[in-house]
Amino acid sequence: MASTYTPLGIELQATGENAGTWGTKTNTNLQIFEQISGGFVTQSIAGGAQTTALSVSDGATGAVLSHRMIEFTGSISGNQIVTIPLDVQTFYFLRNSTSGSHTVQFKYATGSGDSLTFAATDKGDQIVFATANDGTNPDIDTLAIGTGIASVAADTSPQLGGNLDVNGNDIVSTSDADIDIVPNGTGDVVLAADTVKVGDAGAAAVLTSNGAGTLTVTTGGATDLILNTNSGTNSGTVTITDAANGDITVAPNGTGRAKVTNATSSSTQTVTTDGKGIVFSMFFGY
């Protein structure tokens, strides 16, 4: 009876076969085992959109699919597909080191089973398990082991290892929930920007203290603090000058007035200026 081979190319020698070459074939098998357990190989997939089939080398070393880690390389100008035979069952460390903004899909040669696809901008690593769980439509399962978690919600105490880049997205909440930023102890919330905008579009913006405390708004350096609306469009301003004996300037827009209103009274107090000083006048609403 002739030798047979596993899906990854290991030779299964039949009784009485390979007289005089048994030792050589055994050594080759051991080298294949070594590749499968911890081997690293690069596979160029350079070029336009194409499918690269990784084939087995029965009884011989060197088959790309019989290595533990496979790094995809090359400049790609179209979406790539890399396939393995339907009967391969193993796990892989995959690295996408290609250049070019195109996807790289790792899948079985045929069938409609699950696969792994590196996004066009994903030049990272993945761990996958080739399950060979079906003779027609086997699945490639993506594993989170060693590569992080599938969702931030799965980490009960997440910490950043570097700056958080929102990449053009927003930090949002659901179900009308607040977004709390809570420094530890005496820590402050520092918004290091020249302009800080608050309020929904078209809605009044409100700055208020969180509880019966004092609301303090201050600049992060030797700069003036300016308050206005709608980025200053048709808006008056309140300017607190950062300087010894500096002014606090209240400057209504156009013919607007600076008003001081007592919400518990039916009267309105108006603060006006005659160009020389401040004049207080009272206007009663009844």
Side-chain angles (χ1 to χ4, degrees):
M1 179 182 296
S3 296
T4 58
Y5 299 90
T6 69
L8 292 174
I10 297 171
E11 184 172 356
L12 305 178
Q13 301 182 68
T15 302
E17 288 290 323
N18 304 321
T21 61
W22 187 92
T24 299
K25 290 179 177 292
T26 298
N27 288 339
T28 299
N29 276 342
L30 292 175
Q31 290 173 319
I32 297 174
F33 274 122
E34 191 172 44
Q35 287 179 175
I36 296 170
S37 63
F40 167 80
V41 68
T42 61
Q43 174 65 55
S44 174
I45 52 175
Q50 62 185 326
T51 297
T52 301
L54 304 182
S55 59
V56 67
S57 298
D58 286 339
T61 61
V64 172
L65 63 76
S66 297
H67 288 73
R68 177 60 64 225
M69 180 171 182
I70 305 173
E71 180 178 14
F72 302 124
T73 62
S75 176
I76 58 177
S77 55
N79 294 338
Q80 302 293 312
I81 299 174
V82 180
T83 67
I84 57 175
L86 291 177
D87 56 355
V88 169
Q89 185 182 69
T90 188
F91 69 92
Y92 291 105
F93 300 103
L94 301 178
R95 171 167 293 173
N96 181 17
S97 295
T98 60
S99 59
S101 296
H102 300 280
T103 62
V104 177
Q105 183 183 23
F106 187 77
K107 63 186 292 292
Y108 279 103
T110 59
S112 58
D114 293 338
S115 62
L116 163 75
T117 299
F118 287 96
T121 57
D122 182 2
K123 307 300 181 181
D125 303 325
Q126 290 286 349
I127 299 178
V128 299
F129 186 72
T131 63
N133 59 342
D134 186 272
T136 305
N137 301 300
D139 296 311
I140 300 288
D141 290 341
T142 303
L143 307 179
I145 300 173
T147 60
I149 55 177
S151 170
V152 175
D155 190 341
T156 58
S157 58
Q159 291 182 320
L160 294 178
N163 293 335
L164 174 63
D165 182 353
V166 297
N167 194 29
N169 297 300
D170 299 322
I171 298 175
V172 300
S173 65
T174 59
S175 304
D176 298 320
D178 294 337
I179 296 176
D180 297 329
I181 301 176
V182 185
N184 177 262
T186 59
D188 296 325
V189 175
V190 179
L191 303 177
D194 294 335
T195 301
V196 176
K197 298 180 180 181
V198 297
D200 296 329
V206 178
L207 290 176
T208 184
S209 61
N210 182 26
T214 301
L215 173 64
T216 301
V217 179
T218 183
T219 61
T223 57
D224 297 345
L225 175 63
I226 300 174
L227 304 177
N228 60 35
T229 65
N230 196 21
S231 299
T233 302
N234 295 326
S235 171
T237 61
V238 176
T239 302
I240 302 175
T241 303
D242 179 69
N245 303 315
D247 294 336
I248 298 177
T249 304
V250 180
N253 179 262
T255 59
R257 295 176 297 177
K259 295 183 178 181
V260 179
T261 302
N262 185 344
T264 61
S265 171
S266 59
S267 63
T268 300
Q269 296 79 36
T270 302
V271 181
T272 62
T273 178
D274 59 1
K276 298 179 180 179
I278 299 297
V279 176
F280 291 88
S281 57
M282 303 285 288
F283 295 90
F284 296 92
Y286 56 87

